[in-house]
Amino acid sequence: MLIVLSGPSGVGKGTVRQAMVNKYGQQFKYSISMTTRKPRPGEVDGVDYYFVSKAEFEEEIANGGMLEYAQYVDNYYGTPLKYVNQTLESGQDVLLEIEVNGAMQVRSKVSDGVFIFLAPPDLHELQDRIVKRGTDDTATIKKRMLQARQEINLMTNYDYVVVNDQVDSAVNRIEQIIASEHLRVARVLSTYQKMLGDN
């Protein structure tokens, strides 16, 4: 099952994803995104993102190597396709933590994915989080807030909305969603049809 976690910049996608990996990491594989932005303090190449040049990213696009990609605040972000396909084919769930534009691309390609929108409690809280990160200048913060308003309007394209008021609570809600999705008839029907056909 492909699980897509996205939401506006600053909502805490990375924090929630890391908490999920720490708590439930044996239950799914996290697909590391690729980006052309510079690493933030403490971020590690190949762990948080694959940090590449613009030319390298555009070569992957040209070669059809991306499940999705988007240009966001002057940088590319995207999901390498090969790892996702191999992991799903091996029977394991894959978790993507991606931007909203990327999630819309995946939605058009993977109809049975589980799409979860991580939302802020309110816009003031979202702006406070972006400012407290200390990584963006005033002009970039304004761009991010304008983008966030547009992205929140796109939540209608998702299956679930989880408010990130407290990280632990958000992680628990997402785990409940994943557990429920595994019980959907459409996901287990083929197993039972095969069983009945063998009798």
Side-chain angles (χ1 to χ4, degrees):
M1 190 166 73
L2 184 66
I3 305 148
V4 178
L5 177 67
S6 73
S9 177
V11 77
K13 296 186 296 293
T15 303
V16 169
R17 178 258 305 161
Q18 188 57 56
M20 286 182 65
V21 169
N22 292 344
K23 190 171 182 181
Y24 303 110
Q26 301 302 313
Q27 297 178 29
F28 57 79
K29 294 289 185 181
Y30 169 60
S31 177
I32 300 167
S33 294
M34 186 179 287
T35 185
T36 58
R37 78 158 169 77
K38 300 297 182 195
R40 294 185 182 131
E43 288 184 328
V44 178
D45 182 49
V47 175
D48 298 286
Y49 283 94
Y50 295 113
F51 295 100
V52 299
S53 69
K54 187 176 181 182
E56 288 173 306
F57 200 108
E58 288 176 343
E59 186 177 344
E60 284 293 329
I61 294 170
N63 293 334
M66 304 302 290
L67 172 62
E68 57 79 27
Y69 68 92
Q71 202 160 7
Y72 185 83
V73 193
D74 304 323
N75 285 300
Y76 281 117
Y77 294 82
T79 303
L81 180 61
K82 185 177 178 183
Y83 176 84
V84 172
N85 283 343
Q86 287 176 343
T87 308
L88 289 173
E89 286 166 10
S90 76
Q92 290 188 287
D93 291 346
V94 176
L95 172 68
L96 303 185
E97 175 223 321
I98 58 178
E99 303 299 327
V100 171
N101 285 341
M104 295 302 92
Q105 291 176 49
V106 177
R107 179 111 235 185
S108 70
K109 296 174 184 174
V110 185
S111 60
D112 64 345
V114 180
F115 290 78
I116 304 169
F117 188 89
L118 194 64
D122 58 57
L123 287 175
H124 296 297
E125 173 73 17
L126 182 64
Q127 184 163 331
D128 284 348
R129 290 178 188 180
I130 293 171
V131 170
K132 286 176 185 172
R133 262 192 332 209
T135 58
D136 298 317
D137 59 25
T138 303
T140 304
I141 290 168
K142 284 183 179 177
K143 274 187 187 178
R144 289 191 186 280
M145 289 305 298
L146 181 63
Q147 185 80 20
R149 288 177 175 275
Q150 295 168 349
E151 290 172 339
I152 289 169
N153 281 323
L154 292 173
M155 76 166 58
T156 55
N157 296 298
Y158 289 75
D159 302 309
Y160 302 93
V161 175
V162 172
V163 175
N164 187 19
D165 45 4
Q166 297 288 331
V167 172
D168 288 346
S169 297
V171 168
N172 288 339
R173 291 178 201 131
I174 292 168
E175 170 59 14
Q176 290 169 5
I177 290 166
I178 294 169
S180 296
E181 283 290 332
H182 274 290
L183 301 177
R184 278 190 182 273
V185 168
R187 295 193 195 281
V188 299
L189 187 59
S190 64
T191 302
Y192 285 90
Q193 287 174 330
K194 285 176 189 172
M195 179 185 72
L196 292 172
D198 289 342
N199 288 341

